[in-house]
Amino acid sequence: MTTDSFVCERLTKSFAHGPDAAPAVDDVSFTLGTGRSFGIVGESGAGKSTLLKCLVGLLPADGGRVTYEGQDVGRMSRQEMRAYRRRVQLVLQDPYTSLPVNATVAQALEEPLAIHRLGSSQDRRARILRALESVSLAQRTLDRGIRTLSGGQRQRVAIARALVLDPQTLLLDEPVSALDVSVRAQVLNVLIDLQEERGLGYVVVSHDLNVIKILADEVAVMLKGRFVEQGSATQVLYSPRHEYSQLLVSVAPSVERSLENRAQRERPAVAGTV
Ligand SMILES: Nc1ncnc2c1ncn2[C@@H]1O[C@H](COP(=O)(O)OP(=O)(O)OP(=O)(O)O)[C@@H](O)[C@H]1O
Ligand SMILES: [Mg+2]
C-alpha cells in the first residue's frame, strides 16, 4: 500500500487579526500522493507562498493539520523534524533573497549538506556535481559568486541546493518564472526526469498555466486564501467549473492557441505571395 506524501487538512493561517482581517490561507485541504504533482494557481496575494511555508513549518499554521507520510508534522520530535526538513525541500519564489548572496555556488550547495551533517567531503562533492548537472549548470559555475549570476542561473542554483539533500518531495514556488523560454523548457524537463527517476513528488505554484499543465496531475485554484476549485489537471484546465478558474484559463496565453493563431495569420500572407 502506498502512503500519501502530504495530507493537508483544513489549514488556516492569518497574519492580521480582528473583524476585517481575512486569513492568508483559509481552510485549505488537499492530498499529495507519493510521486505525484499537485499544482496551485491563483492571483497574486492569494496565499500560495504562505501555504507552502506552512507546509514545511517555516510559518506556524493557526489551525488544521499537515501529515507527511502518515506523521503529523505539528507533533514531530526534533529528530523527526530534522529528517522531515531533509526529505521535503521548499524552493522559494525569489532566489535573490533565498540564496546566500556573498557565497560562491559551491558554498551555497555545500551549506545544506553541512547543516544536515551529510556525507564525507568526497561524497558531498559527488552530490553537488550531480545536483549541478541536474539543472544543466556547468561545473565551472561552482567558483562563481552568487551575486554574479543571472536570474535564471540563480533559480537553477536554488533548485540544485534543494536536490543535494536527495529529497523525496519538492515544494516549488514559481520554479521557472525567472527563466527564458529555452532554459525554462530545460528545467521543466529536469523536473519531469527527476520525478520519473527518483519518484519525487511536487507541490508546484505557478502563474503560468502551461507550467502547471506540464507538471501537475492535480490542480487547485486559489482565491483569497481558499481553494475555490480542485481536481485533475485535465478537468480544471480544460473544463473549469468555478467562474474564477474559467477566467484564469480564458486569459492564459495558450501555447497551442497562440501557435494556431499565428498559423492562421500567416496563411493569407503565404497565399498572397503565390
Ligand atoms: N510575513 C507576512 N506578514 C504579513 N502579511 C503577509 C506575510 N506574508 C504574506 N502576507 C500576506 O498574506 C497574503 C498572501 O500572500 P502570499 O505571499 O502567500 O501570496 P501569493 O499567492 O504567494 O502571491 P504571489 O503570487 O504574488 O507570490 C497577502 O495579502 C500578503 O500580503
Ligand atoms: Mg508567492
Side-chain angles (χ1 to χ4, degrees):
M1 196 187 84
T2 56
T3 332
D4 290 318
S5 287
F6 272 116
V7 180
C8 174
E9 294 165 278
R10 314 206 64 171
L11 197 80
T12 300
K13 171 72 187 173
S14 296
F15 290 107
H17 298 276
D20 298 331
V25 176
D26 191 1
D27 201 13
V28 160
S29 302
F30 72 92
T31 298
L32 174 72
T34 301
R36 307 276 293 170
S37 295
F38 188 80
I40 303 171
V41 294
E43 66 185 358
S44 183
K48 306 177 298 292
S49 298
T50 304
L51 171 60
L52 296 190
K53 288 176 187 167
C54 289
L55 291 178
V56 289
L58 213 58
L59 284 173
D62 298 329
R65 196 164 83 115
V66 178
T67 56
Y68 185 73
E69 294 183 344
Q71 257 190 314
D72 189 331
V73 174
R75 291 166 181 265
M76 284 179 177
S77 66
R78 275 172 72 107
Q79 204 179 1
E80 287 166 341
M81 181 49 82
R82 227 180 140 75
Y84 174 66
R85 290 235 158 112
R86 202 176 73 217
R87 289 170 70 73
V88 178
Q89 287 295 307
L90 170 61
V91 181
L92 286 166
Q93 185 165 10
D94 180 6
Y96 286 84
T97 53
S98 65
L99 290 173
V101 282
N102 293 320
T104 62
V105 172
Q107 288 164 340
L109 295 183
E110 174 131 26
E111 193 179 70
L113 294 169
I115 290 172
H116 286 275
R117 294 190 212 111
L118 283 179
S120 62
S121 63
Q122 217 175 6
D123 179 48
R124 283 185 187 181
R125 177 89 185 158
R127 279 173 182 260
I128 289 170
L129 290 179
R130 191 153 67 111
L132 207 63
E133 197 187 335
S134 292
V135 294
S136 306
L137 283 175
Q139 200 172 325
R140 62 176 182 279
T141 319
L142 285 174
D143 299 326
R144 300 269 302 271
I146 295 289
R147 217 182 268 284
T148 70
L149 301 177
S150 72
Q153 287 167 331
R154 276 183 220 206
Q155 200 154 18
R156 282 185 283 166
V157 171
I159 295 174
R161 198 163 127 98
L163 292 177
V164 287
L165 291 171
D166 268 334
Q168 204 48 48
T169 308
L170 289 185
L171 310 185
L172 300 157
D173 201 348
E174 298 285 358
V176 292
S177 57
L179 306 177
D180 60 52
V181 178
S182 63
V183 182
R184 179 179 296 209
Q186 242 177 47
V187 173
L188 288 173
N189 281 331
V190 164
L191 292 172
I192 292 166
D193 290 348
L194 284 169
Q195 188 159 48
E196 280 173 9
E197 287 159 18
R198 302 196 205 172
L200 283 186
Y202 298 136
V203 179
V204 56
V205 163
S206 180
H207 279 101
D208 185 341
L209 290 192
N210 282 311
V211 170
I212 295 291
K213 203 186 287 179
I214 289 166
L215 287 182
D217 305 305
E218 305 269 319
V219 177
V221 179
M222 198 167 186
L223 176 67
K224 297 186 178 126
R226 288 182 161 262
F227 280 179
V228 293
E229 178 159 2
Q230 199 172 343
S232 74
T234 314
Q235 183 264 303
V236 176
L237 298 176
Y238 293 96
S239 323
R241 294 192 187 115
H242 191 277
E243 59 178 9
Y244 178 66
S245 324
Q246 289 167 354
L247 178 72
L248 275 187
V249 171
S250 71
V251 297
S254 153
V255 173
E256 292 100 310
R257 213 183 306 140
S258 38
L259 285 176
E260 268 169 34
N261 289 346
R262 205 168 78 179
Q264 270 165 12
R265 270 203 314 275
E266 281 170 359
R267 222 168 282 133
V270 172
T273 59
V274 174

